[in-house]
Amino acid sequence: MSRRRTPWVLVEVDGSAESHQALVWAFREAARREATVVAVSILDGADGDPLTSVTRVSRRTQEVIRDHLEALVLRAIAETGFCGRARTAVLERSVFDALDAAMHGSDLVMVGAGGKRLLRPVVARPPLRRAVARGA
């Protein structure tokens, strides 16, 4: 068995036509890469207030958001014929922003009971210069 872990495709779904197209693309890409798709719906605080806790959103509201997200995922699966692994998650805006920042170059440190891990973006290597033989 390979030690390489399977890839993940994280896609934000907000119900717009653009997010549906992104979800369809994610399923096609996941099929190509044998990846797991994680469709994410974001919980925003009242009026975008970052200090408002997710606990202030009722459990019933969270269930409605998850049900809507799962319906959108099923619609995209029907459109693409995807038969791989798919997950759904409802995240607070701050968690999604941390993942998004890591994608755009920030370090992300994950700390848990099992230890610490650092996700640091790969530094792009300069393009290779081919040596041209003198007199060629």
Side-chain angles (χ1 to χ4, degrees):
M1 291 186 67
S2 172
R3 297 188 84 181
R4 182 173 170 255
R5 297 185 65 161
T6 60
W8 295 79
V9 179
L10 184 69
V11 58
E12 180 182 7
V13 180
D14 62 7
S16 68
E18 293 82 13
S19 72
H20 175 73
Q21 290 304 319
L23 189 57
V24 167
W25 180 89
F27 280 124
R28 289 184 177 140
E29 184 68 11
R32 187 178 74 79
R33 294 177 177 247
E34 296 181 7
T36 300
V37 174
V38 181
V40 176
S41 186
I42 307 301
L43 289 176
D44 284 315
D47 299 326
D49 181 8
L51 299 178
T52 303
S53 168
V54 72
T55 57
R56 295 188 188 251
V57 176
S58 72
R59 182 174 296 287
R60 178 69 187 134
T61 302
Q62 290 181 32
E63 289 172 3
V64 168
I65 291 170
R66 182 177 299 274
D67 289 345
H68 180 51
L69 176 61
E70 289 176 356
L72 293 171
V73 167
L74 289 175
R75 178 178 158 212
I77 288 173
E79 185 175 324
T80 61
F82 182 73
C83 58
R85 293 173 303 273
R87 305 273 190 271
T88 58
V90 178
L91 297 177
E92 287 187 62
R93 170 63 61 191
S94 58
V95 175
F96 186 78
D97 286 347
L99 293 170
D100 187 55
M103 184 183 77
H104 287 99
S106 296
D107 289 349
L108 178 64
V109 179
M110 300 288 290
V111 181
K116 300 177 284 289
R117 287 191 169 49
L118 170 67
L119 172 65
R120 178 172 287 148
V122 176
V123 177
R125 292 190 281 174
L128 293 175
R129 292 188 176 187
R130 296 180 186 243
V132 177
R134 295 187 187 258

